[in-house]
């Protein structure tokens, strides 16, 4: 029962955040600054969500870094989202296997 | 521009890579939910009603630590307030087919990636495109959660660990290509990442709140020094 309330609060809060500006805001923004600001927002958000968290996204910083470099190279080559994501996972996976084989 | 040329077919096509990317991320969410002793239907319901990555992972932490309801609401607000910025931004790109009921429904589907793809269109977008764009990511997110929660104990720890990097790889795949084309985007990404490192290593600011600070500061700086021309909006090639 408590779980249902948690889920209700979670989903309702998240929905309201998305819905209110979307429904209430009808005017076209004229200001070049605000237009530019809104254009840059998604990239800024994703940058802040990725760095530095990507370095701690697996159990091991080294495998995270190898995965990160792999993802960077693939992204620069314009590979699709899924290809980049899987390549990063595979690189991290292989690195962890190699690390576990090296006696510390 | 008064004509919106985006179609349902184009929306479905644009949604496929997002949906596939979501499979791996939501799979991880399903796994973690199972680890926290949530049942498979419970995990899937959370994904189907929230459709957000960071918020759900944080929510899971609060559920498993029996946090207060107020903490849950506040955490979701802080982590997800970026969607308000995205909704505001995307509201500028909607054509006349978006009446209030359609806005009420499609608002649910605004995620980082769906927003990024929809806003990269240089035309206005119509409701058919938006519904189609949301469909496959929604299915991917739900099915991935289902698979992850069901697979729970089966996956080896090392594989689970490696899957943790999937969402970040996807983020890089979204931000790097436009960064190559636009110096403004590159600047926004670099400034935002730098501030993010500062708040991460030097302060105790929560990650959700940190994202807001970084995003607002970086986007404002880029907008101030490298404002976008109306005809300069880069087309993201998918």
């Amino acid at each position: 029962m408590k779980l249902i309330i948690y889920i209700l609060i979670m989903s309702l809060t998240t929905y309201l955040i998305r819905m209110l500006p979307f429904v209430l805001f009808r005017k076209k923004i004229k200001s070049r600054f605000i237009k530019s600001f809104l254009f840059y927002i998604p990239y800024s958000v994703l940058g802040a969500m990725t760095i530095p968290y990507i370095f701690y996204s697996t159990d091991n910083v080294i495998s995270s870094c190898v995965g990160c470099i792999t993802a960077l190279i693939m992204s620069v080559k314009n590979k699709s989202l899924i290809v980049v994501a899987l390549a990063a996972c595979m690189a991290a996976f292989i690195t962890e296997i190699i690390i576990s084989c090296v006696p510390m | 521009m008064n004509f919106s040329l985006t179609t349902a077919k184009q929306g479905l096509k644009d949604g496929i890579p997002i949906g596939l990317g979501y499979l791996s991320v939501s799979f991880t969410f399903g796994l973690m939910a199972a680890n926290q002793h949530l049942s498979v239907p419970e995990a899937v319901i959370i994904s189907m009603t929230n459709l957000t990555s960071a918020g759900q992972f944080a929510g899971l932490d609060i559920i498993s630590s029996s946090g207060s309801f107020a903490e849950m609401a506040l955490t979701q607000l802080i982590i997800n307030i970026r969607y308000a910025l995205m909704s505001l931004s995307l509201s500028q790109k909607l054509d006349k087919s978006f009446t209030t009921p359609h806005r009420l429904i499609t608002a649910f589907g605004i995620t980082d990636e769906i927003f990024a793809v929809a806003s990269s269109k240089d035309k206005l977008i119509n409701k058919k495109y938006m519904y189609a764009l949301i469909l496959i990511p929604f299915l991917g997110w739900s099915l991935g959660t289902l698979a992850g929660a069901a697979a729970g104990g089966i996956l080896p720890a090392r594989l689970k660990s490696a899957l943790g990097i999937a969402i970040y790889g996807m983020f890089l795949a979204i931000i790097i290509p436009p960064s190559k084309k636009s110096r403004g985007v590159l600047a926004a990404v670099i400034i935002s990442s730098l501030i993010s490192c500062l708040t991460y290593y030097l302060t105790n600011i929560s990650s959700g709140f940190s994202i807001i600070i970084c995003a607002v500061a970086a986007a404002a700086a880029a907008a101030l020094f490298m404002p976008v021309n109306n005809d300069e909006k880069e087309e993201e090639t998918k």
Side-chain angles (χ1 to χ4, degrees), chain B:
Chain B
M1 242 175 298
N2 290 316
F3 298 101
S4 51
L5 298 167
T6 46
T7 61
K9 200 175 151 194
Q10 185 62 41
L12 287 176
K13 218 175 114 193
D14 288 351
I16 292 171
I18 305 179
L20 288 174
Y22 280 5
L23 269 180
S24 53
V25 181
S26 59
F27 188 87
T28 317
F29 175 77
L31 275 179
M32 286 180 65
N35 286 345
Q36 312 281 2
H37 310 293
L38 263 69
S39 71
V40 175
E42 285 163 356
V44 174
I45 287 170
I46 292 179
S47 280
M48 291 180 78
T49 54
N50 283 271
L51 196 67
T52 176
S53 59
Q56 282 183 214
F57 282 100
L60 199 58
D61 280 345
I62 294 171
I63 290 171
S64 62
S65 63
S66 293
S68 70
F69 294 139
E71 190 185 354
M72 176 64 97
L74 194 65
T75 304
Q76 297 302 318
L77 182 68
I78 291 173
I79 292 181
N80 290 333
I81 194 76
R82 67 182 190 280
Y83 290 137
L85 291 171
M86 295 182 193
S87 291
L88 185 62
S89 170
L90 201 57
S91 74
Q92 300 294 303
K93 298 216 39 149
L94 307 180
D95 76 357
K96 292 201 173 77
S97 67
F98 272 96
T99 51
T100 302
H102 294 297
R103 285 178 189 239
L104 283 171
I105 300 169
T106 51
F108 170 76
I110 298 169
T111 67
D112 300 322
E113 297 77 14
I114 288 171
F115 166 70
V117 170
S119 58
S120 70
K121 299 281 144 187
D122 54 4
K123 304 182 256 297
L124 291 179
I125 55 172
N126 63 28
K127 62 176 195 229
K128 282 183 194 160
Y129 175 81
M130 195 65 186
Y131 280 116
L133 178 64
I134 293 168
L135 181 68
I136 292 175
F138 176 75
L139 290 176
W141 190 249
S142 310
L143 292 175
T145 307
L146 177 73
I154 307 169
L155 272 193
R158 193 166 287 137
L159 199 56
K160 283 189 212 169
S161 160
L163 285 172
I165 202 171
I167 189 169
Y168 299 104
M170 208 171 83
F171 288 166
L172 287 177
I174 293 176
I175 56 183
I176 301 288
S179 298
K180 289 197 302 180
K181 284 192 265 174
S182 155
R183 285 175 54 206
V185 172
L186 182 65
V189 167
I190 291 175
I191 296 169
S192 169
S193 306
L194 285 178
I195 304 174
S196 179
C197 287
L198 290 179
T199 60
Y200 183 86
Y201 293 110
L202 302 177
T203 71
N204 289 322
I205 299 171
S206 71
S207 66
F209 198 57
S210 159
I211 289 166
I212 298 169
I213 297 172
C214 301
V216 169
L224 200 60
F225 296 110
M226 281 168 259
V228 194
N229 296 321
N230 284 338
D231 51 342
E232 199 203 54
K233 286 211 169 178
E234 286 84 352
E235 175 71 22
E236 207 169 320
T237 45
K238 290 280 166 203

Side-chain angles (χ1 to χ4, degrees), chain A residues 39-68:
Chain A
F39 170 74
Y40 287 127
I41 274 289
Y43 305 109
S44 311
V45 167
L46 292 180
M49 283 182 80
T50 307
I51 311 290
Y53 305 96
I54 189 169
F55 304 119
Y56 310 105
S57 58
T58 66
D59 291 345
N60 184 302
V61 180
I62 299 170
S63 70
S64 295
C65 289
V66 174
C68 176

Side-chain angles (χ1 to χ4, degrees), chain A residues 1-18:
Chain A
M1 189 56 216
K2 201 177 175 199
L3 183 70
I4 296 173
I5 302 174
Y6 274 132
I7 296 177
L8 270 177
I9 294 172
M10 264 175 93
S11 54
L12 206 66
T13 312
T14 307
Y15 176 66
L16 287 176
I17 294 166
R18 285 167 165 156

